Amino acid sequence: MPLNERFQRQLNRFKGVFNYFFPAPVGNLMPREVSIELTNHCNLACVMCPHGTMQRGKGFMEQALFERIIDQCRGQVELVYLYGTGESLLDNRLPGCIRYAKERGLATDLSTNGTLLNEAWARELLTSGLDFLTVCLDGGDKETYESIRIKGNFTVLVANIRTLLRVWREVSSRTRIIIQMIVMDRNLNEVEGFRNLFTSEERNAVFQFRIKPFYDTYRIPKEQIGTTPACFLPWNQMSILWNGDVALCCFDANGKVPLGNVWEQPLRDIWNGTVVQRIRHRQRTGQVHDLPLCSSCGVPRQGYFNPILLFGSAFFRTSRIRILIPYYEQHVLDPARKLLGARTAKVSNDRSV
């Protein structure tokens, strides 16, 4: 990476973190991460996903728009997620999109339900330069998995993952493969078991087994729980829908709070525009009561936006943080939640005595 680009990205990190804590002007910001929804079509109907209730139209991002976004990301944005509320393997242009982003110095991340991930797809993805590939396996057995990933086939998925891991070894790929379980009540007892679906040789090809907490932000629109501390996403991550609309965040599956459109404005103008500045101010001051998506979102309370961690994040590349987050979830957030749960239970028991 040219020294100038490295410096610009480092400066952008410090400016973003500084502006999160202090409302002083810092000049133009750019997001460190950009989520690009290649399509919002999907082949499954997962119980935790808002796709089934999505009200906006479905489609595929035009190639010219994708290239426009990537060209504007070059130099300051660090990581692009090549998915949104949909399954990106339904878009045959995906390997070419990965290469286009990599040629412009961007780290790339893909999350897939894996049901379409046959050997041909595995070879395409693992030789494309893709940095992170997450495959979602939300159950340790057929019954549990298929009760969560409706229309999914557990047997096919496990076979696909095994093929992926074999191809990874054959082509000596540098892609980091993450096998992920989104934890909820119905699969809580299978957290350890889903690792054992694979041989020791297969597990050696897995970069991480991620146990991801599930935050049901889509299902509680009536209950206002606040956002203390302020959400960091309006400073850190831009979410672009397939038609060019910039959504409030990655949880805005319906694009109800549009920040602009990339066909009409440059990314930099949107990210430094009046609408985004107003949302940042409201996050800082806690005035989000009339933003249902924010006022009912529990993510800021989960520990991801710890001030010490955010300050420290200014010193790390975003791809490095992407690697560290699952460890933080497992070794810090999860024990903290268990401790808090135990204390809450004790208080409840004490009060009932």
Side-chain angles (χ1 to χ4, degrees), residues 196-215:
N196 297 328
L197 292 169
F198 307 100
T199 66
S200 58
E201 183 182 30
E202 289 168 339
R203 289 196 294 269
N204 287 338
V206 178
F207 181 71
Q208 289 174 332
F209 284 95
R210 184 181 185 185
I211 311 301
K212 184 178 180 180
F214 172 52
Y215 305 121

Side-chain angles (χ1 to χ4, degrees), residues 261-285:
N261 186 285
V262 184
W263 278 123
E264 301 167 0
Q265 293 175 277
L267 268 63
R268 186 182 298 275
D269 289 358
I270 295 172
W271 204 238
N272 294 279
T274 303
V275 176
V276 176
Q277 297 284 14
R278 188 181 302 123
I279 287 171
R280 288 176 186 154
H281 173 74
R282 293 169 72 174
Q283 282 288 343
R284 280 197 207 95
T285 57

